[in-house]
Amino acid sequence: MNRFRTRFNARLLPLAAATALAFASTVTHAAETTAPRAENAFLSQLDAAARSARVSNVDYVLDFTLTGKENFSATTTLAFDLKDNGAALTVDLDKATIKSLKVNGKDVTPQYNGWFITLAAQDLKQGRNTVVVAYERAHSTNGEGLHRMVDPVDGRVYTYSHFEPAAAHQMFAVFDQPDLKGTYQVNVSAPADWQVISTTRETRVAASGDSKRWTFPKTKKLSPYNFSMHAGPYKMWEDRSGKYPMRLFARQSVAQQVKPAEWFKYTKSGLAFFDEYFGVPYQFGKYDQILVPDFLYGAMENAGAITFAERGFMYKADMTDEQRARLAGVIMHEMAHQWFGDLVTMQWWNGLWLNESFASFMGTLATAEATEFKDAWRAFYSEGKQQAYAQDQRSTTHPIEVPVPSTQNAFDNIDAITYSKGASTLMQLRHLLGADVFRKGVHNYLVKYQYKNARLEDFIGSLGQAAGRDMKDWTQQWLYQAGVNTIAANYSCAAGKISAFTLQQSAAREFPTLREQRVQVASFRLDGQQLKLDRKVAVTYKGAATTVPGMVGAACPDLVYPNYEDWGFVKVQLDGRSFDSARERLGSVGDPLLRAMLWQSLWDGVRDGKLPLNDFITTAVNNAPGEKDYTLLGDVLGKVVASRHYLDLMHLDGPYTAQATRQLEDMAWNGTVAAKGNDNFQRRWFGTYLGVVSSRHGLDRLAALLDDKGGIDGLAINQDLRWAIIGRLNRYGYPGAPALVEAEQARDKSDTGAAAAIAATVSRPDPAVKTEWLGTITDLQTKLPFSRVRTAMGSLYPAEQGALAEQSAAQRLARLPELDKAAGPVYMRAYGPSLIPAGCTPASVARLQAASTSMTALSAGTRRALLDTLQEDQRCVLIKQTMTAK
Ligand SMILES: [Zn+2]
């Protein structure tokens, strides 16, 4: 799966959420495996283990009747081997109306609680059992199960399935746990103009009245969450030029925004790359990709039928290189899962990280090696890896491998540790063991466990065997202990040469583990105005101090960077001289990765309260306009927007803020104008302008762009940009802004238009708007689709509207426990990061501290969001103090 990434993490945008689920969310642990299963919406690891100990050889025959209406009807025929019939057995099926239940040929009155059916022991037998459930159910509208969406443009109905972690039972009767793999034979009756897409390709489509009957042959063995079925009048593109047939699907009304040639190009190169790399050919015969609306995440690796969020991968203009690189990267990530996740699957959700880490690692590797985006690792350094560093320095960080007591907690850790720290750790492991050994270990693992489930020990065991080394200490240090270490170069010079060199490793007090790691240490000398590489030495360090004899004798350096070329997952603390060189010579460093790392050192300095934010802003204003590397420019401008975000949060009176915001605004405007003729750069600069403009003069300029007056040479203002402009004008209360929203909605009746209109409306600096929308967001019975509620959450209180946010802050905080209890984890994952109140003042910090002391009964995810908000608020206060102290 791919989560959406955000460029900076001062305040995370909501990533994922779903409608409130109306149930109490207590986790109950079965005392022992023979105890009856806890009566709640989730499945505990103990209950899952008890079930998979008894059940095997699962085959599903699924029959669906879809009409486009709000309900669907279906029959599940479930056959399996049972070890013993000494106790009852449960089958998951969520909120269905059961019409009949047959167990081994006998009609049975369902014992059903709305979450699972309990099959009585006396109806079961040792050996093969067959259960037939006929039922009706409402389509879901929260992005899980069999989601239904009515296209506002043309009234057409689209459906798609999404199951991870455990929502297959919102669509059919199933043992909804990853270690009960099964086969799926599917039959679907659907309206005649629909496409039906599933794991296998249909073998028959027969007309039957107004509908068509689709037949799909039995799949290979899959975990329930990797099976899928999608149906609707989707437009289809096809390409058979590669080894495997490829198709792409999207809604009719947005089909023009899809660039199929790009999709097929990256898909084809990816399939060729992975076949070769893994040494195990792609297993699912055909490669379908479907763009779907209202999707909760970025993309999902259903075997052979991968779903992608429309909002992430549709474009109303030609794609920029950044968009193309992202598309390639996500296609590769989901493709890596076809082997790692779908073919070999984790036994339980504690193994989710290995799935995601590996897919993130392999997705980046494939993007770098099989597409034109050779700098994919640099993009990973600037985005994913920085998020992982930031999160690993929080008090709420966690080891990569953590216990997951029930499906309720399966997605508690869908975060930068699971994705990017894990991926960085695998990259480090590849450096430590060597690329060939790493690949051999992966190949052996896939061959040994294909169509089965595996655990961490199995993966590490395969690598250790290939490397001929014991991986126990490494596993303990990296996977079971949280926190990031810091390394610093400690050296002395005599007679112009390095006379002693030690690499020093330290750890945060709360997470004292020191680790073994292989990195490159490099020294640089000033040559005229340029910092030039003088020496680099690869070293495997462990413990608090490691001497590096290879550095002795090198010229006394102007800059030392102890994680050159980014092999390691470690925070770098520059020595004083190197820090000064970085600041003064940033623009003259030739290697763009090193330049990115030095920018990062400065930014770390800001976030750690060591470098005043205004110094960073000065450096940015002096150096960003000259940055010619497209990927790095994106990184630097992301930090510029984050700087502005901090200034907004601080609410400082006095001349500096006005002057700095104006400086950033002018820089972004001038960058946009100067980039004429270079579409990629121009759109990147204009995107930054949209993120920082707030002066009346600047807003006037924006408004003029809507009228095709005052256009910018070379820049086409497409529908997405029009909405972004209207959003910004509304956010700053520009005269006439509400009318612009209305007029634009009349022009653009699309789904994305409706979402953009909500974002613009709720962001207005108007207390009445805030009250109304906060009411809608927290009304768990609202008729508004959840995707809209989530949009509203993310836009309600922009950083500069601190006074308005403060009006509801105490109330929001007080209501948190009640909301957490009533709404499900998917809702809270969006609510927490957006609406737990921070204020960048000692008072707001104290308020959060008091809440963290008193609110001890929150769900794990919400508690973490509370503590993260507290820590980020403390950080904001620290940045403010550092800036105003001078
Ligand atoms: Zn993934």
Side-chain angles (χ1 to χ4, degrees), residues 1-3 164 299 301 333-334 337 355-356 359-360 419:
M1 201 176 75
N2 195 278
R3 61 194 201 106
E164 192 179 15
E301 68 266 21
H333 175 108
E334 303 309 329
H337 275 310
N355 251 7
E356 294 307 346
S360 300
Y419 280 74

Side-chain angles (χ1 to χ4, degrees), residues 257 314-317 323 690 717-726 748 752 756:
Q257 299 170 42
M314 286 200 170
Y315 310 101
K316 295 188 174 108
Q323 291 165 339
L690 280 169
I717 304 295
N718 61 46
Q719 185 64 63
D720 288 340
L721 286 180
R722 288 185 66 84
W723 274 119
I725 290 169
I726 290 167
D748 174 13
T752 46

Side-chain angles (χ1 to χ4, degrees), residues 353-631:
W353 76 267
L354 186 55
N355 251 7
E356 294 307 346
S357 299
F358 193 83
S360 300
F361 167 77
M362 281 306 302
T364 311
L365 187 69
T367 307
E369 298 195 0
T371 77
E372 67 268 39
F373 305 107
K374 303 298 171 209
D375 63 358
W377 282 113
R378 260 202 303 126
F380 176 79
Y381 169 81
S382 296
E383 292 175 25
K385 199 160 182 175
Q386 295 316 321
Q387 288 191 15
Y389 285 143
Q391 191 173 344
D392 217 10
Q393 291 172 74
R394 290 191 185 143
S395 59
T396 58
T397 192
H398 55 87
I400 290 178
E401 171 88 17
V402 286
V404 175
S406 101
T407 52
Q408 181 183 17
N409 308 102
F411 274 9
D412 281 357
N413 296 318
I414 285 286
D415 58 21
I417 299 294
T418 291
Y419 280 74
S420 300
K421 183 181 179 185
S424 309
T425 301
L426 291 174
M427 178 161 75
Q428 164 56 208
L429 191 55
R430 184 165 173 258
H431 281 295
L432 191 71
L433 302 182
D436 290 342
V437 168
F438 183 84
R439 176 165 153 168
K440 189 173 155 213
V442 169
H443 168 82
N444 294 348
Y445 171 78
L446 290 173
V447 169
K448 185 166 176 189
Y449 296 102
Q450 55 186 327
Y451 298 110
K452 297 189 186 125
N453 296 85
R455 292 166 305 165
L456 174 62
E457 306 86 279
D458 302 323
F459 179 68
I460 296 296
S462 291
L463 292 178
Q465 211 168 22
R469 81 166 252 183
D470 179 1
M471 299 295 297
K472 212 165 72 217
D473 286 351
W474 185 91
T475 304
Q476 189 56 36
Q477 290 169 6
W478 282 98
L479 306 179
Y480 289 99
Q481 303 296 331
V484 58
N485 299 115
T486 298
I487 50 172
N490 186 4
Y491 62 92
S492 46
C493 292
K497 294 196 184 309
I498 294 178
S499 53
F501 195 108
T502 307
L503 208 49
Q504 286 187 310
Q505 179 178 202
S506 58
R509 207 177 318 121
E510 310 87 315
F511 304 107
T513 305
L514 297 179
R515 295 173 175 84
E516 175 190 356
Q517 179 149 229
R518 188 159 180 80
V519 296
Q520 291 183 115
V521 178
S523 63
F524 299 81
R525 295 268 299 157
L526 255 184
D527 180 0
Q529 292 304 303
Q530 287 250 320
L531 277 169
K532 291 244 165 89
L533 176 67
D534 186 52
R535 186 174 290 195
K536 70 171 174 182
V537 173
V539 53
T540 300
Y541 69 80
K542 43 172 118 174
T546 305
T547 54
V548 188
M551 291 301 290
V552 173
C556 195
D558 294 298
L559 173 80
V560 173
Y561 200 84
N563 186 23
Y564 185 58
E565 293 178 331
D566 195 31
W567 291 7
F569 183 81
V570 66
K571 213 175 155 187
V572 165
Q573 191 189 328
L574 293 180
D575 61 89
R577 179 173 174 77
S578 296
F579 193 84
D580 290 342
S581 296
R583 220 159 120 188
E584 286 155 25
R585 306 286 169 188
L586 198 52
S588 71
V589 174
D591 169 11
L593 176 58
L594 181 64
R595 211 152 69 236
M597 293 175 129
L598 297 181
W599 273 106
Q600 190 59 43
S601 289
L602 299 185
W603 185 243
D604 285 345
V606 172
R607 297 204 3 115
D608 293 343
K610 290 175 182 152
L611 179 70
L613 179 64
N614 39 340
D615 284 7
F616 180 86
I617 289 174
T618 303
T619 307
V621 168
N622 290 338
N623 289 283
E627 183 53 62
K628 295 290 176 258
D629 182 274
Y630 177 68
T631 300

Side-chain angles (χ1 to χ4, degrees), residues 748-811:
D748 174 13
K749 299 200 178 308
S750 72
D751 186 46
T752 46
I758 286 184
T761 301
V762 306
S763 72
R764 282 176 205 148
D766 174 347
V769 167
K770 304 301 177 194
T771 306
E772 182 198 334
W773 278 92
L774 186 59
T776 304
I777 288 166
T778 52
D779 171 11
L780 300 180
Q781 312 305 323
T782 179
K783 291 279 171 263
L784 201 64
F786 185 69
S787 57
R788 300 280 184 270
V789 173
R790 187 170 58 166
T791 299
M793 288 176 183
S795 303
L796 191 62
Y797 293 118
E800 73 284 359
Q801 294 178 14
L804 283 168
E806 193 54 34
Q807 289 176 6
S808 66
Q811 173 210 340

Side-chain angles (χ1 to χ4, degrees), residues 191-237:
D193 62 338
W194 281 25
Q195 294 283 348
V196 183
I197 306 136
S198 191
T199 312
T200 55
R201 270 301 290 271
E202 68 278 6
T203 41
R204 196 175 131 83
V205 185
S208 142
D210 289 345
S211 63
K212 279 183 181 160
R213 178 88 175 151
W214 295 65
T215 307
F216 296 86
K218 194 157 113 168
T219 67
K220 296 181 172 179
K221 266 182 178 298
L222 287 173
S223 298
Y225 85 93
N226 287 321
F227 164 74
S228 70
M229 195 278 284
H230 323 282
Y234 288 100
K235 179 171 171 61
M236 180 183 80
W237 297 268

